[in-house]
Short mmCIF file of all heavy atoms in Angstrom, two decimals:
data_model
loop_
_atom_site.label_atom_id
_atom_site.label_comp_id
_atom_site.label_asym_id
_atom_site.label_seq_id
_atom_site.Cartn_x
_atom_site.Cartn_y
_atom_site.Cartn_z
N THR A 1 7.35 10.41 -54.14
CA THR A 1 6.78 9.42 -53.15
C THR A 1 5.23 9.38 -53.14
O THR A 1 4.60 8.37 -53.14
CB THR A 1 7.28 9.85 -51.75
OG1 THR A 1 8.72 9.76 -51.68
CG2 THR A 1 6.69 8.88 -50.68
N LEU A 2 4.62 10.62 -53.23
CA LEU A 2 3.14 10.71 -53.32
C LEU A 2 2.67 10.00 -54.59
O LEU A 2 1.69 9.24 -54.56
CB LEU A 2 2.67 12.10 -53.26
CG LEU A 2 1.18 12.28 -53.30
CD1 LEU A 2 0.49 11.63 -52.25
CD2 LEU A 2 0.84 13.77 -53.30
N ALA A 3 3.29 10.21 -55.72
CA ALA A 3 2.91 9.64 -56.98
C ALA A 3 3.02 8.12 -56.90
O ALA A 3 2.29 7.36 -57.38
CB ALA A 3 3.74 10.18 -58.11
N GLN A 4 4.12 7.61 -56.27
CA GLN A 4 4.32 6.13 -56.05
C GLN A 4 3.22 5.54 -55.27
O GLN A 4 2.80 4.45 -55.53
CB GLN A 4 5.64 5.92 -55.41
CG GLN A 4 6.87 6.09 -56.34
CD GLN A 4 8.18 6.04 -55.61
OE1 GLN A 4 8.34 6.24 -54.37
NE2 GLN A 4 9.32 5.74 -56.32
N LEU A 5 2.77 6.26 -54.14
CA LEU A 5 1.73 5.76 -53.38
C LEU A 5 0.41 5.54 -54.14
O LEU A 5 -0.25 4.54 -53.96
CB LEU A 5 1.46 6.61 -52.16
CG LEU A 5 2.63 6.64 -51.08
CD1 LEU A 5 2.34 7.77 -50.03
CD2 LEU A 5 2.62 5.29 -50.40
N VAL A 6 0.16 6.49 -55.03
CA VAL A 6 -1.09 6.43 -55.88
C VAL A 6 -0.81 5.26 -56.88
O VAL A 6 -1.74 4.42 -57.05
CB VAL A 6 -1.31 7.76 -56.59
CG1 VAL A 6 -2.46 7.59 -57.65
CG2 VAL A 6 -1.66 8.88 -55.65
N TYR A 7 0.24 5.21 -57.53
CA TYR A 7 0.51 4.29 -58.60
C TYR A 7 0.51 2.83 -58.04
O TYR A 7 -0.01 1.94 -58.79
CB TYR A 7 1.93 4.58 -59.15
CG TYR A 7 2.33 3.81 -60.41
CD1 TYR A 7 1.93 4.18 -61.69
CD2 TYR A 7 3.05 2.58 -60.25
CE1 TYR A 7 2.20 3.43 -62.76
CE2 TYR A 7 3.45 1.89 -61.37
CZ TYR A 7 3.01 2.25 -62.65
OH TYR A 7 3.37 1.53 -63.78
N ASN A 8 0.97 2.65 -56.86
CA ASN A 8 1.05 1.31 -56.33
C ASN A 8 -0.17 0.89 -55.40
O ASN A 8 -0.22 -0.14 -54.82
CB ASN A 8 2.31 1.10 -55.50
CG ASN A 8 3.57 1.20 -56.36
OD1 ASN A 8 3.58 0.63 -57.46
ND2 ASN A 8 4.62 1.86 -55.95
N ASP A 9 -1.13 1.79 -55.26
CA ASP A 9 -2.28 1.50 -54.40
C ASP A 9 -3.08 0.37 -55.06
O ASP A 9 -3.32 0.27 -56.24
CB ASP A 9 -3.21 2.75 -54.39
CG ASP A 9 -4.29 2.59 -53.38
OD1 ASP A 9 -4.08 2.89 -52.22
OD2 ASP A 9 -5.39 2.20 -53.73
N VAL A 10 -3.55 -0.50 -54.14
CA VAL A 10 -4.35 -1.70 -54.56
C VAL A 10 -5.57 -1.31 -55.37
O VAL A 10 -5.93 -1.99 -56.41
CB VAL A 10 -4.73 -2.55 -53.38
CG1 VAL A 10 -5.53 -3.76 -53.77
CG2 VAL A 10 -3.45 -3.04 -52.67
N SER A 11 -6.31 -0.29 -55.02
CA SER A 11 -7.50 0.08 -55.73
C SER A 11 -7.18 0.63 -57.08
O SER A 11 -8.06 0.52 -58.00
CB SER A 11 -8.30 1.08 -54.85
OG SER A 11 -7.58 2.25 -54.74
N VAL A 12 -6.02 1.15 -57.35
CA VAL A 12 -5.62 1.66 -58.62
C VAL A 12 -5.42 0.44 -59.51
O VAL A 12 -5.71 0.46 -60.73
CB VAL A 12 -4.35 2.53 -58.57
CG1 VAL A 12 -3.74 2.69 -59.88
CG2 VAL A 12 -4.65 3.85 -57.84
N GLU A 13 -4.85 -0.69 -59.01
CA GLU A 13 -4.54 -1.87 -59.82
C GLU A 13 -5.68 -2.37 -60.60
O GLU A 13 -5.64 -2.64 -61.76
CB GLU A 13 -4.00 -2.88 -58.86
CG GLU A 13 -3.23 -3.98 -59.54
CD GLU A 13 -1.90 -3.44 -60.17
OE1 GLU A 13 -1.21 -2.70 -59.57
OE2 GLU A 13 -1.63 -3.89 -61.39
N GLY A 14 -6.89 -2.41 -59.96
CA GLY A 14 -8.06 -2.96 -60.60
C GLY A 14 -8.80 -2.02 -61.46
O GLY A 14 -9.62 -2.38 -62.29
N PHE A 15 -8.54 -0.71 -61.34
CA PHE A 15 -9.29 0.36 -62.06
C PHE A 15 -8.71 0.60 -63.46
O PHE A 15 -9.46 0.81 -64.38
CB PHE A 15 -9.25 1.58 -61.29
CG PHE A 15 -10.13 2.70 -61.84
CD1 PHE A 15 -11.46 2.71 -61.72
CD2 PHE A 15 -9.54 3.76 -62.56
CE1 PHE A 15 -12.27 3.66 -62.25
CE2 PHE A 15 -10.33 4.74 -63.15
CZ PHE A 15 -11.71 4.71 -62.93
N PHE A 16 -7.44 0.45 -63.58
CA PHE A 16 -6.81 0.81 -64.86
C PHE A 16 -6.39 -0.53 -65.69
O PHE A 16 -5.93 -1.49 -65.05
CB PHE A 16 -5.56 1.62 -64.69
CG PHE A 16 -5.88 2.97 -64.15
CD1 PHE A 16 -5.64 3.23 -62.78
CD2 PHE A 16 -6.36 4.02 -64.87
CE1 PHE A 16 -5.97 4.48 -62.27
CE2 PHE A 16 -6.67 5.27 -64.39
CZ PHE A 16 -6.47 5.50 -63.04
N ASP A 17 -6.59 -0.40 -66.98
CA ASP A 17 -6.19 -1.54 -67.89
C ASP A 17 -4.68 -1.56 -68.01
O ASP A 17 -4.07 -2.63 -68.07
CB ASP A 17 -6.81 -1.36 -69.24
CG ASP A 17 -8.34 -1.37 -69.12
OD1 ASP A 17 -8.96 -2.20 -68.46
OD2 ASP A 17 -8.89 -0.40 -69.75
N LEU A 18 -4.05 -0.40 -68.09
CA LEU A 18 -2.69 -0.24 -68.37
C LEU A 18 -2.05 0.81 -67.46
O LEU A 18 -2.67 1.82 -67.09
CB LEU A 18 -2.34 0.21 -69.84
CG LEU A 18 -2.95 -0.68 -70.91
CD1 LEU A 18 -2.82 0.03 -72.26
CD2 LEU A 18 -2.27 -2.07 -70.96
N LYS A 19 -0.81 0.58 -67.02
CA LYS A 19 -0.05 1.53 -66.19
C LYS A 19 1.38 1.63 -66.73
O LYS A 19 1.91 0.68 -67.22
CB LYS A 19 0.00 1.11 -64.75
CG LYS A 19 -1.31 1.07 -64.01
CD LYS A 19 -1.25 0.81 -62.51
CE LYS A 19 0.06 0.26 -61.87
NZ LYS A 19 0.04 0.04 -60.49
N ALA A 20 1.95 2.90 -66.58
CA ALA A 20 3.28 3.09 -67.00
C ALA A 20 3.82 4.23 -66.10
O ALA A 20 3.14 5.15 -65.76
CB ALA A 20 3.41 3.50 -68.42
N TRP A 21 5.14 4.07 -65.74
CA TRP A 21 5.87 5.06 -64.92
C TRP A 21 7.14 5.42 -65.76
O TRP A 21 7.86 4.53 -66.14
CB TRP A 21 6.26 4.45 -63.62
CG TRP A 21 7.00 5.44 -62.71
CD1 TRP A 21 8.20 5.86 -62.92
CD2 TRP A 21 6.45 6.05 -61.60
NE1 TRP A 21 8.60 6.72 -61.94
CE2 TRP A 21 7.48 6.85 -61.07
CE3 TRP A 21 5.26 6.01 -60.91
CZ2 TRP A 21 7.29 7.71 -59.94
CZ3 TRP A 21 5.11 6.79 -59.78
CH2 TRP A 21 6.14 7.61 -59.27
N VAL A 22 7.35 6.73 -65.91
CA VAL A 22 8.56 7.21 -66.60
C VAL A 22 9.16 8.26 -65.76
O VAL A 22 8.48 9.31 -65.46
CB VAL A 22 8.22 7.72 -68.05
CG1 VAL A 22 9.54 8.12 -68.71
CG2 VAL A 22 7.52 6.64 -68.87
N SER A 23 10.46 8.11 -65.47
CA SER A 23 11.21 9.22 -64.88
C SER A 23 11.80 10.11 -66.02
O SER A 23 12.54 9.61 -66.87
CB SER A 23 12.41 8.58 -64.06
OG SER A 23 11.85 7.90 -63.02
N VAL A 24 11.24 11.32 -66.09
CA VAL A 24 11.59 12.13 -67.24
C VAL A 24 12.91 13.00 -66.96
O VAL A 24 13.82 12.93 -67.76
CB VAL A 24 10.45 13.14 -67.48
CG1 VAL A 24 10.80 14.07 -68.72
CG2 VAL A 24 9.18 12.33 -67.79
N SER A 25 12.86 13.69 -65.86
CA SER A 25 14.07 14.49 -65.43
C SER A 25 14.47 15.60 -66.38
O SER A 25 13.76 15.98 -67.24
CB SER A 25 15.28 13.51 -65.11
OG SER A 25 16.08 14.07 -64.10
N GLU A 26 15.67 16.16 -66.14
CA GLU A 26 16.22 17.26 -66.85
C GLU A 26 16.43 16.97 -68.37
O GLU A 26 16.16 17.83 -69.20
CB GLU A 26 17.49 17.80 -66.31
CG GLU A 26 17.34 18.67 -65.06
CD GLU A 26 18.66 19.22 -64.56
OE1 GLU A 26 19.08 20.17 -65.15
OE2 GLU A 26 19.24 18.57 -63.63
N GLU A 27 16.85 15.84 -68.72
CA GLU A 27 17.13 15.45 -70.04
C GLU A 27 15.90 15.02 -70.75
O GLU A 27 15.58 13.87 -70.82
CB GLU A 27 18.22 14.33 -70.08
CG GLU A 27 18.73 14.08 -71.46
CD GLU A 27 19.75 15.18 -72.00
OE1 GLU A 27 20.38 15.87 -71.15
OE2 GLU A 27 19.84 15.34 -73.16
N PHE A 28 15.17 15.99 -71.25
CA PHE A 28 13.88 15.70 -71.89
C PHE A 28 14.06 15.19 -73.31
O PHE A 28 14.56 15.85 -74.16
CB PHE A 28 12.98 16.94 -71.92
CG PHE A 28 11.52 16.63 -72.39
CD1 PHE A 28 10.65 16.27 -71.52
CD2 PHE A 28 11.26 16.88 -73.70
CE1 PHE A 28 9.27 15.99 -72.03
CE2 PHE A 28 10.01 16.59 -74.20
CZ PHE A 28 9.01 16.19 -73.32
N ASP A 29 13.68 13.93 -73.50
CA ASP A 29 13.79 13.34 -74.82
C ASP A 29 12.46 12.64 -75.16
O ASP A 29 12.15 11.63 -74.59
CB ASP A 29 14.97 12.30 -74.81
CG ASP A 29 15.17 11.61 -76.19
OD1 ASP A 29 14.25 11.77 -77.09
OD2 ASP A 29 16.09 10.86 -76.28
N VAL A 30 11.67 13.34 -75.99
CA VAL A 30 10.30 12.79 -76.16
C VAL A 30 10.36 11.35 -76.83
O VAL A 30 9.43 10.59 -76.57
CB VAL A 30 9.48 13.72 -77.02
CG1 VAL A 30 9.90 13.75 -78.52
CG2 VAL A 30 8.01 13.43 -77.02
N VAL A 31 11.34 11.07 -77.59
CA VAL A 31 11.44 9.67 -78.16
C VAL A 31 11.73 8.65 -77.06
O VAL A 31 11.01 7.59 -76.95
CB VAL A 31 12.54 9.60 -79.25
CG1 VAL A 31 12.79 8.12 -79.67
CG2 VAL A 31 12.25 10.45 -80.43
N ARG A 32 12.64 9.01 -76.15
CA ARG A 32 12.90 8.09 -75.03
C ARG A 32 11.75 7.88 -74.09
O ARG A 32 11.36 6.77 -73.76
CB ARG A 32 14.07 8.56 -74.24
CG ARG A 32 14.40 7.68 -72.97
CD ARG A 32 15.42 8.30 -71.97
NE ARG A 32 14.98 9.52 -71.37
CZ ARG A 32 14.20 9.51 -70.26
NH1 ARG A 32 13.77 8.40 -69.73
NH2 ARG A 32 13.82 10.60 -69.70
N VAL A 33 11.07 8.94 -73.74
CA VAL A 33 9.89 8.89 -72.92
C VAL A 33 8.74 8.12 -73.55
O VAL A 33 8.15 7.26 -72.98
CB VAL A 33 9.37 10.27 -72.46
CG1 VAL A 33 8.12 10.25 -71.67
CG2 VAL A 33 10.50 10.97 -71.67
N THR A 34 8.44 8.42 -74.79
CA THR A 34 7.44 7.74 -75.56
C THR A 34 7.72 6.21 -75.64
O THR A 34 6.86 5.34 -75.43
CB THR A 34 7.23 8.26 -77.00
OG1 THR A 34 6.93 9.71 -76.85
CG2 THR A 34 6.04 7.58 -77.63
N LYS A 35 8.96 5.87 -75.95
CA LYS A 35 9.41 4.46 -76.05
C LYS A 35 9.27 3.76 -74.71
O LYS A 35 8.79 2.59 -74.64
CB LYS A 35 10.92 4.39 -76.54
CG LYS A 35 11.31 2.97 -76.82
CD LYS A 35 12.75 2.90 -77.13
CE LYS A 35 13.03 3.31 -78.53
NZ LYS A 35 14.41 2.94 -78.99
N THR A 36 9.69 4.45 -73.59
CA THR A 36 9.56 3.86 -72.28
C THR A 36 8.02 3.54 -71.93
O THR A 36 7.71 2.49 -71.35
CB THR A 36 10.17 4.74 -71.21
OG1 THR A 36 11.55 4.96 -71.53
CG2 THR A 36 10.07 4.12 -69.80
N ILE A 37 7.12 4.46 -72.23
CA ILE A 37 5.75 4.33 -72.01
C ILE A 37 5.29 3.05 -72.80
O ILE A 37 4.52 2.20 -72.30
CB ILE A 37 4.90 5.55 -72.27
CG1 ILE A 37 5.29 6.74 -71.41
CG2 ILE A 37 3.41 5.25 -72.23
CD1 ILE A 37 4.75 8.05 -71.83
N LEU A 38 5.59 3.09 -74.06
CA LEU A 38 5.20 2.01 -74.97
C LEU A 38 5.68 0.66 -74.48
O LEU A 38 4.82 -0.36 -74.38
CB LEU A 38 5.71 2.30 -76.33
CG LEU A 38 5.51 1.22 -77.45
CD1 LEU A 38 3.95 1.15 -77.72
CD2 LEU A 38 6.20 1.55 -78.77
N GLN A 39 6.89 0.52 -74.04
CA GLN A 39 7.45 -0.70 -73.51
C GLN A 39 6.71 -1.11 -72.23
O GLN A 39 6.49 -2.34 -71.99
CB GLN A 39 8.92 -0.64 -73.35
CG GLN A 39 9.69 -0.54 -74.68
CD GLN A 39 11.21 -0.41 -74.59
OE1 GLN A 39 11.84 -0.68 -75.51
NE2 GLN A 39 11.60 0.14 -73.50
N SER A 40 6.39 -0.11 -71.43
CA SER A 40 5.74 -0.43 -70.17
C SER A 40 4.31 -0.97 -70.34
O SER A 40 3.93 -1.84 -69.60
CB SER A 40 5.64 0.81 -69.26
OG SER A 40 6.93 1.26 -68.92
N VAL A 41 3.59 -0.45 -71.30
CA VAL A 41 2.20 -0.90 -71.50
C VAL A 41 2.08 -2.13 -72.36
O VAL A 41 1.17 -2.82 -72.27
CB VAL A 41 1.26 0.31 -71.97
CG1 VAL A 41 1.23 1.40 -71.00
CG2 VAL A 41 1.71 0.76 -73.38
N SER A 42 3.13 -2.35 -73.14
CA SER A 42 3.11 -3.49 -74.11
C SER A 42 3.85 -4.74 -73.57
O SER A 42 3.64 -5.80 -74.01
CB SER A 42 3.63 -3.14 -75.53
OG SER A 42 5.03 -2.95 -75.40
N PHE A 43 4.76 -4.40 -72.54
CA PHE A 43 5.63 -5.49 -71.93
C PHE A 43 6.51 -6.12 -73.08
O PHE A 43 6.87 -7.28 -72.91
CB PHE A 43 4.80 -6.58 -71.20
CG PHE A 43 3.95 -6.03 -70.15
CD1 PHE A 43 2.58 -5.88 -70.30
CD2 PHE A 43 4.50 -5.67 -68.90
CE1 PHE A 43 1.81 -5.41 -69.23
CE2 PHE A 43 3.65 -5.23 -67.88
CZ PHE A 43 2.38 -5.05 -67.98
#
């Protein structure tokens, strides 16, 4: 919840060129996480 508040804050929106959110969880898969970040920033 705290991370979401930071991520969605209006002042954050204008400061960063790119944003990505990945839920990693117990099943750590570096390929999946990297791909999710890539898709988030490239749309």
Side-chain angles (χ1 to χ4, degrees):
T1 301
L2 180 59
Q4 286 171 337
L5 289 171
V6 171
Y7 188 84
N8 294 318
D9 189 87
V10 175
S11 62
V12 166
E13 198 66 43
F15 186 77
F16 295 101
D17 302 312
L18 302 170
K19 291 186 351 177
W21 181 287
V22 182
S23 296
V24 180
S25 211
E26 281 184 79
E27 189 72 30
F28 185 85
D29 178 353
V30 71
V31 171
R32 178 190 66 82
V33 173
T34 303
K35 186 186 284 192
T36 302
I37 297 168
L38 179 61
Q39 291 177 157
S40 294
V41 298
S42 70
F43 301 102

